Amino acid sequence: MKPKHQRFLIISLGLVGLGIAIFLVSIAFRDNLVFFYTPSDLSQKKIHPEQRLRVGGLVEKNSLKREGQKVTFHITDHAKILKINYTGLLPDLFREGQGVVVEGHLSEPDLFQAETVLAKHDENYMPKEVANKLKEKGLWRDDR
Amino acid sequence: MTSSDATFMVWLMLDVRNISLPSLFSDLSFSLAQREMLLIRGTNGAGKSSLLRMVAGLIRPSSGTLFWEGQKIQLSAYQQSLLYSGHSLGLHPEALLKDQVNLWHYHYRVEKKVIEAALHIWGIAPFANQKIQHLSQGQQKRLSLSRLHSLARPLWILDEPHSSLDAEGRKILEDTLARHLERDGLAILASHEKQPGMREICL
Amino acid sequence: MKFTLAKPRYFFKITNFLFPLALVLGALCFAAGLYSALVTSPPDYQQGDAMRIMYIHVPASWMALFCYGALALFSLFVLVWRHPFAEILAISVAPIGALFTVLSLVTGSLWGKPMWGTYWVWDARLTSVLVLLFLYGGYWALYKAYAHSAQGIRAASLLALIGVINLPIIKGSVDWWNTLHQPASITKFGGPSIHPSMLLPLGLMTAAYGFYFLVLFILRARTELNKRKLLVQGNLS
Amino acid sequence: MISRELYNAYLHKGSLLSTFAFFALALFCVSLTLGPNETLLRQSAPGLIWILAILTIFFSTPLLLKREAQCGLLDEILLHPSLTSTYLLSKVMAEYLFIALPLALMSFFLSPLFALSSVETLSLLLTLLIGFPALSALGILGSLLTLNTQGGGLLLSLIILPLTLPLLIFGLSVMEMTRLGLDSFPSFCLLMGSSLFLLILGVTAGCWALPFAAER
C-alpha cells in the first residue's frame, strides 16, 4: 500500500496505543496507589505477620506512654485504632495530634511493632505566635 | 532473460541543485540524464561517500534540493528507483550464501530464481553453502554487486565498485554498466581510478 | 562547523550589558535573602529553626526543574531547526541544572532527618528528582561519548526530549500518591499557605538563585563560544 | 519486512546462546550468594530477576545492532520503502520471540532457586512478559543512540535505565501485592499502561534515531 497510507496507519495506531495507556493509568488512579496503609485498611486486609509494611495515621491524643527507650502510642484515622510500640528516638516533629507514618510488621491483629517512625508534615508553615493566637481564638483545627 | 533487462520507458532525469554539507562541499550542482554515467573522483575523505549517500537520500543536505523526474524527490518513491551499494557490502557475515539469498528475497520481494540467476552471472553460485565470512573479499564484493542484476532499478549509485575485484570481476562490472546505460539507465560511481572518456566531478 | 557569526555577536552584545547587572543584583538579593531568612523571619510553629533549610532547598528544586525545561527547549531547537547556537546554550545550561539538582537533593535529605526521621525514603517525589539527576548525567555522558560534538549534541538532545516526561511526574507526584513529601505550599488553590513573613525571604532567595543562574549561564556560554571561535581558527585541538 | 526481521533473528540464534547463559549464570550466582534464608530470597527475588532481565537485554541489543550497522545493513533498511517504525516494531517482535520468551521461561523454571510460591512465579512471568516489549524498544533506541560511540552496553544502561524505572516499580508492586494477597489490579494497570507508553515512546524516538545512527 502507498507509503502515505502506511504512515497514517502507524500514526493512528500510535495514538490509539497512547489512549489505551492513559486510560489504563487513569483506572489505577481511581483507587489510588497507597504509600502507606491506614488502620482501617489493615483490619480489612489479611496480612502475614512477618510481612513488612507501612501504616500511617494521626497520633491519638494522650495515648503516648514512654518508658525509657520503649514508647507506645495509638494511631487512628478516625475509624480504627492501632496500638504501636516502638523502641528508639522519636523525630522532634512527633507530637500528639500529628500525622505519622510507621514502618514495621504486625505482630498481633491490633499490635504493630514499629522499626522506624516518620513524622508526616502538612504544608502550612506558620510562626509559633500566630499558631498560639489561632489556638486561643479556637480557630485552630489541630487534627485533620 | 532476467527482469532487469526490460528497458526503462519513462523519461528519467536526476537534477542536483546547490547541495552542501558542512566542511565538505557547498553549492554543488549537477544533473544526469539517461544513458549517462558520472564519476566522482577525489582524495580520501574528500566527501565522495557522503555525496553518494546524500544523493541516495541517506543523509539530509544542510541546504539544496534533489530533483528526480522533474519534481522534488519524495523519499520513499525515489529510493524505490535507486540502488545504492556502499563501502560496507550489506551482507550477513555469519549467514550462509543461500541464507543471504532468502534474506534478499524477503527484503526486496524478488523471486529467488532471479537472485540465483544473478549469482550465476557473477560466478559465485557454487559457493551456496559457504558462510559469507569465509568467502574472499572479492567474492563478497561480487555477491553484493549481484544485486545489480536481481533488482531492476534505473539509477545506480555505486561507491568504489572496482575495489577488490579481480580482472574477470571488473569485466563483468564493465559489461553490466554498459548494458545498463544502453537501457536508458543512469549511474553515479565514486572511484579513485581515472576512467577515460567519462564525465567526472572532482571533489 | 560553519560558524554563523550573526547570532553569537548579538549574544555578546546583550551579555556585556546583562552580566554585570545580574552579578550585582544577584549579590544583593543573596545578602538580603540570607539575612531575612536566617535572622528576621520567625521559626516555624512546628519545626522551629529546622525549617530554615527550606530557603535553600525550595529555590534549588525550582531552579533544577527550570534548567531542565530550558535544556529541553534548546534541545528542541537543536533537533528541529538544527541551530548551532542552540547547542552552545544547551551545553551551558545542563551542568548548572545538575548542580541545582544535587543541591536540592542534599538539602532535602538534610532537612528530612529532623523532620521525617530519616535521610532518605523511597518516596515518589524524591525518586523522581533523583531520576532527574540521572537524566542530566545521561545527557552529559551521551554528549561527551561522541567524537564530533555536532553528532553528540543531537543524540543528547533526543535523550533530553524523552526525559521531559519526568517533569510532570515530579510536579504531580506529590498529590497523586499521598507521599511523605508535603504537598505544594505555594501553588495551592486557596492561596499560599505560608505566612507572609516567610514568603519574603523565600522570594528573595529565589531571585538570588535566578541571578546566580544567569551569571553562570552567561559565563559558560561565552567560554563555549570563544572555544568554538578558537576551534574554527584551528589553533585549539 | 517482518518476515525479513524474523528470518534475520533466526539466522543469528547462535549468538543468543551467550545472552541466555549470562542470564542463567547471573541468577545462579545471586541465589547462591543470598544464602538459604527463605524469607530473604522470597522478598528480594522479584527485584533481582527483573533487574537482571533488564541488564541482559541492555547488554545484548547493542551487540546485535552494532554488528548490523558494520555490515551496512542500516542503509539497506533505510532504503526500504516501508517505514522505519515497521522495521523497529518487527525488530521488537523478533527480539521478543527470540530473547524475551526464553528469558521469561528461564526465570519461570529457575524460580525454585528463589523459593517463590506458584502464584508469585506466575505473576513474575506475567509482569516480565508485559514489560519486555517496552524493554526491547528502549534497548533498541538506546543502542541506536550509542551506535557510533565506544560506550556500548554500559553507556546504554546509563542513559536508558532512568526510563525503565516505572516498569521496574510497577512490576515489583504487582508482585508485592500478589505476595501479600492484596488485589494487584491497580498496579497491574499501571504496569500495562507504562509499558505500552514506553513502547510507543521508544519506537517513535527510534524512528528519528535510525537515520541518525546510519550517518557515520
Side-chain angles (χ1 to χ4, degrees), chain C residues 17-220:
Chain C
F17 159 72
L18 211 56
F19 183 71
L21 183 70
L23 206 60
V24 167
L25 278 178
L28 270 176
C29 284
F30 211 66
L34 272 184
Y35 177 72
S36 61
L38 298 180
V39 178
T40 52
S41 84
D44 177 52
Y45 78 103
Q46 279 178 330
Q47 298 168 28
D49 289 323
M51 184 271 289
R52 293 185 195 285
I53 300 184
M54 173 187 82
Y55 298 122
I56 310 277
H57 174 65
V58 174
S61 320
W62 283 344
M63 285 315 290
L65 295 181
F66 168 76
C67 286
Y68 196 85
L71 178 66
L73 187 71
F74 294 142
S75 306
L76 200 66
F77 272 83
V78 164
L79 288 184
V80 175
W81 292 288
R82 291 192 182 215
H83 204 291
F85 189 57
E87 171 184 348
I88 292 164
L89 297 178
I91 316 167
S92 325
V93 92
I96 305 172
L99 170 82
F100 280 129
T101 324
V102 167
L103 192 63
S104 148
L105 281 172
V106 165
T107 48
S109 69
L110 282 179
W111 193 7
K113 184 61 187 149
M115 200 172 78
W116 297 334
T118 151
Y119 282 109
W120 183 264
V121 68
W122 284 111
D123 158 281
R125 166 61 71 91
L126 281 80
T127 343
S128 37
V129 174
L130 194 63
V131 164
L132 185 70
L133 185 62
F134 284 140
L135 279 174
Y136 275 118
Y139 177 87
W140 200 253
L142 196 53
Y143 173 66
K144 282 291 174 214
Y146 275 85
H148 301 292
S149 70
Q151 271 190 330
I153 191 67
R154 293 174 61 211
S157 304
L158 181 71
L159 185 69
L161 283 179
I162 295 174
V164 164
I165 186 69
N166 187 30
L167 288 186
I169 293 178
I170 293 180
K171 244 342 175 191
S173 65
V174 201
D175 26 32
W176 289 344
W177 293 285
N178 40 21
T179 65
L180 203 53
H181 191 283
Q182 73 274 18
S185 315
I186 307 291
T187 55
K188 243 166 66 165
F189 297 113
S193 65
I194 291 189
H195 194 269
S197 74
M198 296 173 182
L199 205 53
L200 174 68
L202 190 60
L204 274 175
M205 285 303 285
T206 321
Y209 271 64
F211 288 120
Y212 176 63
F213 161 75
L214 217 56
V215 163
L216 269 183
F217 178 63
I218 294 171
L219 263 179
R220 275 193 63 78

Side-chain angles (χ1 to χ4, degrees), chain D residues 21-88:
Chain D
F22 169 76
F23 186 66
L25 203 61
L27 281 186
F28 286 146
C29 299
V30 158
S31 80
L32 192 69
T33 46
L34 278 183
N37 160 357
E38 228 206 35
T39 50
L40 181 64
L41 273 177
R42 270 163 63 97
Q43 275 163 7
S44 58
L48 287 170
I49 295 180
W50 254 89
I51 290 165
L52 283 177
I54 291 178
L55 285 182
T56 327
I57 287 207
F58 280 1
F59 279 93
S60 66
T61 335
L63 300 179
L64 296 174
L65 266 172
K66 215 177 259 274
R67 199 157 14 88
E68 281 205 4
Q70 262 136 21
C71 331
L73 294 170
L74 284 189
D75 301 343
E76 203 181 66
I77 289 156
L78 280 169
L79 292 172
H80 195 270
S82 70
L83 292 164
T84 42
S85 44
T86 36
Y87 165 70
L88 288 170

Side-chain angles (χ1 to χ4, degrees), chain C residues 79 82 127 131 134-135 137-139 141-142 145-148 150-152 154-156 158-159 162-163 165 169 177, chain D residues 141 144-151 155 158-160 162-163 165 169-170 190 197 201 205-206 208-209 212 215-216:
Chain C
L79 288 184
R82 291 192 182 215
T127 343
V131 164
F134 284 140
L135 279 174
Y139 177 87
L142 196 53
Y146 275 85
H148 301 292
Q151 271 190 330
R154 293 174 61 211
L158 181 71
L159 185 69
I162 295 174
I165 186 69
I169 293 178
W177 293 285
Chain D
L141 168 70
L144 282 174
L145 282 179
T146 58
L147 201 63
N148 300 326
T149 67
Q150 275 67 36
L155 183 64
L158 173 66
I159 58 174
I160 297 290
L163 295 173
L165 279 187
I169 292 167
F170 297 141
L190 272 177
F197 176 76
L201 185 75
W208 182 87
F212 167 76
E215 290 161 18
R216 233 162 318 281

Side-chain angles (χ1 to χ4, degrees), chain B:
Chain B
M1 208 277 280
T2 57
S3 68
S4 62
D5 280 351
T7 54
F8 306 100
M9 292 316 151
V10 135
W11 171 76
L12 297 173
M13 171 72 171
L14 173 71
D15 190 1
V16 177
R17 292 207 193 104
N18 46 51
I19 51 166
S20 53
L21 254 176
S23 80
L24 282 177
F25 48 80
S26 58
D27 288 328
L28 181 68
S29 306
F30 61 87
S31 69
L32 197 66
Q34 285 166 299
R35 297 172 179 272
E36 265 187 1
M37 181 135 66
L38 178 67
L39 184 68
I40 315 276
R41 250 171 17 89
T43 58
N44 292 15
K48 298 198 295 297
S49 306
S50 310
L51 174 62
L52 286 188
R53 286 169 70 86
M54 190 189 304
V55 172
L58 292 171
I59 307 177
R60 234 157 45 105
S62 47
S63 71
T65 46
L66 283 110
F67 294 87
W68 174 246
E69 291 165 354
Q71 323 113 1
K72 198 169 183 306
I73 55 162
Q74 203 270 340
L75 209 56
S76 54
Y78 169 61
Q79 284 176 336
Q80 276 293 77
S81 52
L82 68 85
L83 189 142
Y84 171 79
S85 159
H87 264 300
S88 42
L89 307 172
L91 306 171
H92 288 263
E94 285 101 20
L96 300 176
L97 199 121
K98 59 181 178 355
D99 295 332
Q100 182 67 48
V101 169
N102 294 342
L103 263 172
W104 278 340
H105 164 63
Y106 290 126
H107 191 80
Y108 293 108
R109 287 192 202 83
V110 168
E111 287 318 313
K112 284 207 177 109
K113 57 180 175 28
V114 169
I115 306 173
E116 270 134 17
L119 293 187
H120 278 295
I121 296 171
W122 283 88
I124 38 174
F127 305 102
N129 302 337
Q130 291 233 336
K131 275 208 171 157
I132 291 181
Q133 58 197 10
H134 297 153
L135 296 175
S136 76
Q137 190 62 18
Q139 285 159 331
Q140 286 181 22
K141 185 74 178 181
R142 289 183 182 210
L143 177 60
S144 167
L145 286 175
S146 71
R147 281 176 300 170
L148 295 181
H149 285 276
S150 49
L151 303 172
R153 300 283 173 91
L155 173 60
W156 285 0
I157 303 174
L158 309 172
D159 203 339
E160 285 178 25
H162 304 284
S163 70
S164 68
L165 277 181
D166 54 15
E168 188 213 356
R170 278 174 205 272
K171 206 175 122 347
I172 303 173
L173 180 63
E174 300 302 341
D175 303 346
T176 337
L177 279 172
R179 224 152 20 86
H180 177 67
L181 293 183
E182 278 148 33
R183 294 194 319 276
D184 301 342
L186 301 93
I188 306 179
L189 283 83
S191 178
H192 295 291
E193 295 127 17
K194 192 153 179 17
Q195 301 284 2
M198 199 194 301
R199 221 176 101 212
E200 65 180 44
I201 297 181
C202 271
L203 284 188

